[in-house]
Amino acid sequence: MPSHLTRRVFQCLIANKPLFPHRHLHTVRTRIPRRHGVSLLRPSQQQRRALFQNLFDNKQKDLREPTLDPGMDKMLELDKRIHLVARLPLTEDLITAFNAFISSRNKRQRPIEDFHAVRLLQTLQTIEKQQQQSRGQHPITDLPTFVSHLRLALDTINRYPKRLTKTHNALGRAIFKAYEKYSPDVPDEEKANRLGRALRHYISILCGTGDTQDALVLIQDALAAWGIEKKTTETPKKTSQVWTRLLQGFAAEHNEEMMLRVIDLAKAELGRLDPLIHLVMTMHNAKHNNVDGTKEWFRNSIFSPPNVDFVTRWSGSPYKSILEFCIRNNEMEWGQSVLQSSKARTQEQHTWDAIFHAAAATGKSVDDIDKMISVMVEQLQAGGKDARPDIETFNGLIDFALSRKDAYTAERYFSLLEKWKVEPNARSFILQVQYRLEAGDISGALQSYERLRDEKIDNDEDWEVMNHLLLAVLNQPNIPNETIIGLVEDISDRRRVFLANTVIALCTYHLKRDEYLELVDLLQTYSYQYSIAERIRIRDHLVQFTLDPATDTGRAWDTYMIFHQIFDIETGRGIRDTIISSFFDRERPDLATHVFTRMSRHVRADTRPDEETYVRMFEGIAKTADTEALEVVHNLLKLDTETDPTTRILNGLMMAYTGCDAPRRALEFWDQISRSDEGPSYNSLHIAFRACEKAPWGHRTAKKIWEKLLQSDVVIGKDLFASYVGALSGQSLVDEVVETTDRMEEVVGEGLDANTLGAIYNAATGFAWQERIEEWAKESHPGIWEELSKRGYQEDEMGVKKILV
């Protein structure tokens, strides 16, 4: 006999908590907050700490290990060893891991996400490769168990899907291939039965991932080879489900030609069409507003003699879909005949509910619906039935109003419950929370949630609305922290996986409160349960927080240290390069260098530094003039066997050494560039002239470079000319600067301009040389100097002026 105690009573008993009378949410909860199932500090103890200050403190360290399904740790280890080109785990260990993971997901009724599918596919491919290399010398020990888990894997993928992807498609193909290969030799009839059961799941996976054509070929070959219809014990119902799945697959691919072909094949194999096939075809035509097709398939399904019980099967939502089709296509007269026929045949209350739904869709008011309910009750009572509207009637109406985003009408439908003396159930309060959230009534939604907590919940039907409520509360300012903690505790106690959006909101909540340990715990608990797309969304949120200039450097660094480890697979080179640039922008070359050194030691080749990464590092070092960072990065470049010192990298080295007051060392890289097969670029010339500007006797090298340029066919523009005369000015060769600028039009084709004059002035060392250049400019080029003076000045740390060029 089922218990009449509510879920809240059981929760209190299990948690050894006192049971208080019904409370309003405005009353402060007296709970001890918990960190996703683990007790936290009391809310009054506001945390203000840096993560890595506490991670290395033994008294404070209390981090949860990643929550992984059995076997996933071994599969992640396999992935790491493959990238390290190290010895792979033994075949038996991989099979044990595969079996354990599949059993866990199936037992807990959790979907296999594409993140898991990648690891499973890699594991199966490794097992197959190792078996081929062993040439039968190391056969699989417990083959029957492995084979049974292969079939269970197909069943799990098909039974608990969130969204099947091409990765699931590849995994399904690999599993079915292995299942065929390792299935024991048995009589043909038994083998057909076994493969037939696995085949249904495999076909469903193919149909759900856009390969319905392959699924059709597969079932035709199987029918021809095994004679499933004639030789096996598979029931007609199960076999008809295969044809129905094929129809659904082609419908999703909008391939009506193949749908009609499947109909013909199904008729030939089954002798008649199952009512479910009629349903699929009717709904497909209605969805695409095919009036003639919808009427034809619906008429056949109702009046064909074998389908006497079909109308009863169609009670409820299919009739609602038909009525919505009639409203869209102005076929209400036919829709009314459908309902009248249904009432004459069944007098089912679900049919009446469909009528109310259709009336609401045509614009009938709440009062009109109320009158229609009264008429329904009178008609049913006149027929000898003591019938009244039940809670499903009103829940359907509330749900319809919610679908139209009409919270006011939904609230009015809810108020009819009291008039008709119908007790609301859990579904009623779930809908009430939803429409109040839709209306922005957070306080009202919290009150509805308190009433929902006292209801019996089946199959966690309130899971999504609980997440949506928590998400709304987290995004709402001025909500008491105790309320948030109470909601988090309620959801955590369910031992389910938070929705990805909820985790994103909780990440922001913890980050703003500097609760880094709680953030790590949250991500370790849930991050490995999400799909690849969901993991990337969570990672992107943390990356955005790190890159936000409004985030202080300490928080940005702690956030990076968290996400780059938990989302290591998804955090590729491009994101890490961006993080490096952001730390240079914050003038923290030490942190940028730390990110770089971790990249250089990474096991994945697509994460280790490439040319772009080195260039970013050297440019950042040049800007911040950090000699320690330069030494570290240059040494790592020398040890890097995967990256050749290209012209871009050598340009970066020139910039970095020049920025770190080592211009003579920088010019050594110019020599290396000039001798290389790739040769210098225009950027190389600019950077080399900049080094010449700073280096002792740098004018000698600058003149050599300039002479070669004049003798070659290189096009010399104003910017390159400005770099050269800037190098001369930096060496205090004012007379040569004046002489060279007099020949500028001859070399460049244009005379002196403001940018070139600004480069000469800014490169001059000291006040005296700048005054001399200023005097020359005022005398020889007064108009240009006047234009340049309007741009303004800034002073360096020595008080030397620099024109804003």
Side-chain angles (χ1 to χ4, degrees):
M1 180 177 178
S3 171
H4 294 286
L5 295 177
T6 66
R7 177 165 57 93
R8 188 165 68 90
V9 173
F10 280 117
Q11 286 180 339
C12 292
L13 290 173
I14 293 172
N16 194 25
K17 300 176 182 177
L19 179 64
F20 296 103
H22 182 80
R23 304 165 304 205
H24 291 291
L25 249 287
H26 295 295
T27 304
V28 176
R29 295 173 180 256
T30 56
R31 299 176 175 181
I32 296 177
R34 303 171 67 82
R35 185 207 307 157
H36 315 295
V38 181
S39 295
L40 296 174
L41 299 174
R42 297 186 180 276
S44 60
Q45 295 176 312
Q46 184 78 1
Q47 299 181 46
R48 295 294 178 194
R49 62 174 182 262
L51 170 64
F52 292 95
Q53 174 185 347
N54 291 322
L55 285 184
F56 300 104
D57 185 347
N58 293 330
K59 295 181 180 180
Q60 295 284 346
K61 191 173 181 178
D62 183 27
L63 294 178
R64 177 181 294 188
E65 292 297 319
T67 302
L68 301 173
D69 287 273
M72 179 51 67
D73 54 344
K74 180 61 69 175
M75 288 188 278
L76 290 172
E77 179 189 343
L78 169 65
D79 180 77
K80 185 175 182 180
R81 290 193 181 191
I82 288 175
H83 285 90
L84 284 171
V85 197
R87 173 179 288 183
L88 303 182
L90 299 175
T91 300
E92 294 300 327
D93 293 340
L94 294 177
I95 291 176
T96 300
F98 181 90
N99 294 346
F101 180 84
I102 295 300
S103 296
S104 172
R105 301 305 283 188
N106 186 73
K107 181 179 179 180
R108 298 164 62 197
Q109 299 183 0
R110 298 286 176 82
I112 294 178
E113 302 286 1
D114 54 357
F115 176 80
H116 308 132
V118 171
R119 315 299 150 213
L120 291 167
L121 178 60
Q122 189 178 59
T123 301
L124 280 179
Q125 291 171 340
T126 304
I127 292 171
E128 180 63 23
K129 184 177 180 180
Q130 290 177 338
Q131 285 295 293
Q132 290 176 356
Q133 292 174 345
S134 70
R135 298 179 180 179
Q137 296 180 2
H138 302 287
I140 299 173
T141 305
D142 192 358
L143 188 59
T145 301
F146 181 45
V147 171
S148 67
H149 280 84
L150 288 171
R151 191 179 72 191
L152 184 62
L154 290 172
D155 182 26
T156 305
I157 296 172
N158 185 49
R159 187 180 300 180
Y160 309 114
K162 276 179 62 178
R163 187 178 65 86
L164 294 181
T165 64
K166 289 300 181 182
T167 307
H168 291 98
N169 182 298
L171 176 61
R173 291 176 183 272
I175 293 174
F176 190 74
K177 180 180 178 181
Y179 185 81
E180 284 187 304
K181 176 179 179 179
Y182 295 115
S183 292
D185 292 330
V186 294
D188 289 343
E189 183 174 346
E190 183 178 350
K191 182 177 182 179
N193 283 327
R194 292 184 178 182
L195 287 173
R197 288 191 293 270
L199 182 65
R200 285 200 314 275
H201 302 312
Y202 180 37
I203 286 175
S204 185
I205 294 171
L206 293 179
C207 292
T209 52
D211 280 346
T212 311
Q213 182 66 50
D214 290 351
L216 176 59
V217 173
L218 191 63
I219 189 61
Q220 288 179 298
D221 292 345
L223 288 172
W226 306 332
I228 286 180
E229 292 300 315
K230 303 177 180 61
K231 297 180 181 179
T232 75
T233 58
E234 293 287 277
T235 65
K237 178 181 178 182
K238 290 182 178 179
T239 308
S240 67
Q241 289 175 356
V242 172
W243 298 107
T244 302
R245 191 68 185 92
L246 288 170
L247 276 177
Q248 292 172 333
F250 282 123
E253 297 169 20
H254 308 291
N255 193 336
E256 295 194 5
E257 180 181 352
M258 291 305 302
M259 291 179 69
L260 296 177
R261 184 181 175 190
V262 170
I263 292 294
D264 294 337
L265 292 171
K267 284 181 180 178
E269 291 294 335
L270 302 177
R272 63 181 179 85
L273 296 181
D274 185 89
L276 190 58
I277 293 178
H278 284 274
L279 176 62
V280 172
M281 292 302 296
T282 304
M283 292 299 99
H284 172 74
N285 282 279
K287 179 180 178 181
H288 292 84
N289 298 317
N290 185 342
V291 176
D292 294 336
T294 302
K295 290 181 178 180
E296 181 66 22
W297 279 100
F298 187 83
R299 185 182 301 114
N300 289 340
S301 65
I302 293 296
F303 295 107
S304 56
N307 300 331
V308 177
D309 63 340
F310 192 49
V311 176
T312 303
R313 294 192 194 187
W314 272 37
S315 297
S317 60
Y319 272 116
K320 293 179 182 179
S321 300
I322 291 295
L323 292 171
E324 290 175 352
F325 156 79
C326 293
I327 294 169
R328 290 196 306 269
N329 295 277
N330 196 25
E331 290 286 341
M332 286 307 300
E333 183 177 349
W334 179 72
Q336 290 173 359
S337 68
V338 170
L339 292 176
Q340 291 298 328
S341 172
S342 174
K343 289 189 291 182
R345 290 168 177 267
T346 65
Q347 285 292 333
E348 287 283 339
Q349 184 168 328
H350 289 297
T351 306
W352 285 100
D353 293 347
I355 295 173
F356 300 146
H357 182 97
T362 57
K364 296 292 185 182
S365 67
V366 177
D367 294 332
D368 293 334
I369 301 296
D370 187 25
K371 292 177 182 178
M372 291 178 65
I373 294 175
S374 300
V375 172
M376 179 204 75
V377 172
E378 292 175 3
Q379 288 188 7
L380 291 176
Q381 288 178 346
K385 292 187 176 182
D386 185 18
R388 295 179 61 80
D390 60 10
I391 187 59
E392 297 306 322
T393 301
F394 295 104
N395 285 348
L397 290 169
I398 296 170
D399 194 14
F400 174 77
L402 180 61
S403 69
R404 296 295 179 92
K405 300 186 184 301
D406 189 349
Y408 174 73
T409 300
E411 190 71 60
R412 289 198 63 195
Y413 282 135
F414 196 93
S415 66
L416 291 180
L417 293 175
E418 184 177 356
K419 174 182 176 180
W420 286 96
K421 296 182 173 55
V422 176
E423 287 293 326
N425 61 7
R427 178 64 180 161
S428 308
F429 291 119
I430 290 172
L431 292 170
Q432 189 174 56
V433 172
Q434 285 180 305
Y435 70 69
R436 287 182 172 178
L437 286 176
E438 190 72 35
D441 182 10
I442 305 298
S443 177
L446 288 170
Q447 292 179 9
S448 300
Y449 172 70
E450 272 297 288
R451 299 182 67 183
L452 173 62
R453 293 180 68 242
D454 293 330
E455 297 293 328
K456 182 178 181 297
I457 304 295
D458 295 323
N459 300 321
D460 289 327
E461 61 178 327
D462 63 338
W463 182 247
E464 285 200 16
V465 75
M466 288 175 69
N467 277 265
H468 293 159
L469 177 60
L470 177 57
L471 184 62
V473 168
L474 288 168
N475 292 328
Q476 187 76 11
N478 304 322
I479 295 291
N481 189 49
E482 292 79 5
T483 300
I484 296 174
I485 292 174
L487 281 171
V488 172
E489 180 183 345
D490 281 351
I491 299 179
S492 298
D493 287 345
R494 302 286 285 278
R495 302 301 185 211
R496 289 282 306 273
V497 178
F498 282 118
L499 298 182
N501 285 341
T502 307
V503 169
I504 290 172
L506 283 169
C507 287
T508 303
Y509 174 76
H510 288 314
L511 286 170
K512 289 182 177 179
R513 294 166 56 84
D514 293 326
E515 296 173 345
Y516 298 108
L517 295 178
E518 284 68 35
L519 175 59
V520 172
D521 183 74
L522 172 73
L523 295 175
Q524 292 281 57
T525 302
Y526 297 109
S527 62
Y528 293 96
Q529 307 302 317
Y530 294 121
S531 67
I532 294 174
E534 289 171 331
R535 284 174 60 87
I536 289 176
R537 281 170 51 207
I538 298 171
R539 178 214 64 190
D540 286 346
H541 179 75
L542 297 173
V543 171
Q544 184 179 2
F545 183 86
T546 303
L547 298 177
D548 188 352
T551 304
D552 66 67
T553 303
R555 281 178 171 174
W557 173 248
D558 287 341
T559 306
Y560 160 75
M561 289 299 290
I562 292 171
F563 78 73
H564 96 88
Q565 295 183 68
I566 295 179
F567 299 103
D568 180 69
I569 296 174
E570 294 83 5
T571 307
R573 182 190 298 122
I575 291 177
R576 297 174 196 249
D577 286 352
T578 307
I579 297 293
I580 285 174
S581 296
S582 73
F583 283 129
F584 276 124
D585 292 339
R586 296 173 183 270
E587 297 186 354
R588 290 300 304 269
D590 55 329
L591 301 183
T593 305
H594 186 87
V595 176
F596 179 85
T597 54
R598 283 182 173 271
M599 291 176 65
S600 66
R601 297 195 298 265
H602 205 279
V603 298
R604 292 177 174 272
D606 60 359
T607 304
R608 291 193 288 270
D610 64 354
E611 179 186 77
E612 179 63 31
T613 311
Y614 279 105
V615 170
R616 282 179 186 249
M617 284 299 302
F618 290 135
E619 289 178 348
I621 291 170
K623 183 170 62 175
T624 55
D626 190 298
T627 54
E628 292 184 7
L630 176 58
E631 182 180 0
V632 170
V633 177
H634 194 184
N635 286 336
L636 287 173
L637 174 62
K638 295 174 184 177
L639 298 173
D640 193 337
T641 60
E642 299 175 348
T643 305
D644 294 326
T646 62
T647 295
R648 285 192 69 205
I649 292 178
L650 294 173
N651 287 346
L653 280 166
M654 275 201 295
M655 291 178 61
Y657 276 98
T658 301
C660 293
D661 294 327
R664 293 184 65 178
R665 179 77 171 94
L667 289 175
E668 293 178 13
F669 299 108
W670 163 255
D671 294 336
Q672 190 173 343
I673 291 173
S674 60
R675 292 193 301 266
S676 68
D677 294 335
E678 185 178 359
S681 64
Y682 274 103
N683 282 339
S684 305
L685 295 169
H686 287 290
I687 298 167
F689 282 136
R690 179 66 174 174
C692 292
E693 175 187 325
K694 302 291 184 181
W697 310 104
H699 62 284
R700 295 178 179 176
T701 304
K703 289 180 179 180
K704 290 179 181 178
I705 297 173
W706 187 249
E707 289 298 326
K708 288 183 179 180
L709 289 175
L710 293 176
Q711 295 170 8
S712 66
D713 296 331
V714 175
V715 177
I716 300 176
K718 291 189 295 183
D719 54 348
L720 189 57
F721 186 91
S723 294
Y724 172 61
V725 293
L728 297 179
S729 177
Q731 296 293 323
S732 303
L733 301 176
V734 178
D735 292 337
E736 293 191 35
V737 168
V738 173
E739 182 182 347
T740 306
T741 53
D742 289 340
R743 298 197 306 270
M744 180 175 178
E745 187 169 356
E746 177 185 341
V747 176
V748 178
E750 298 181 47
L752 186 68
D753 62 356
N755 287 334
T756 304
L757 181 55
I760 295 171
Y761 183 87
N762 289 341
T765 56
F767 302 104
W769 294 108
Q770 283 189 339
E771 288 177 0
R772 185 173 173 185
I773 291 172
E774 182 177 350
E775 291 174 0
W776 162 73
K778 287 180 178 180
E779 179 181 347
S780 302
H781 307 281
I784 298 175
W785 179 258
E786 183 178 357
E787 176 190 346
L788 196 63
S789 301
K790 294 177 181 179
R791 298 186 181 183
Y793 299 86
Q794 66 180 12
E795 295 184 357
D796 61 15
E797 61 277 5
M798 301 299 294
V800 178
K801 291 182 179 180
K802 299 293 182 181
I803 298 176
L804 300 177
V805 178

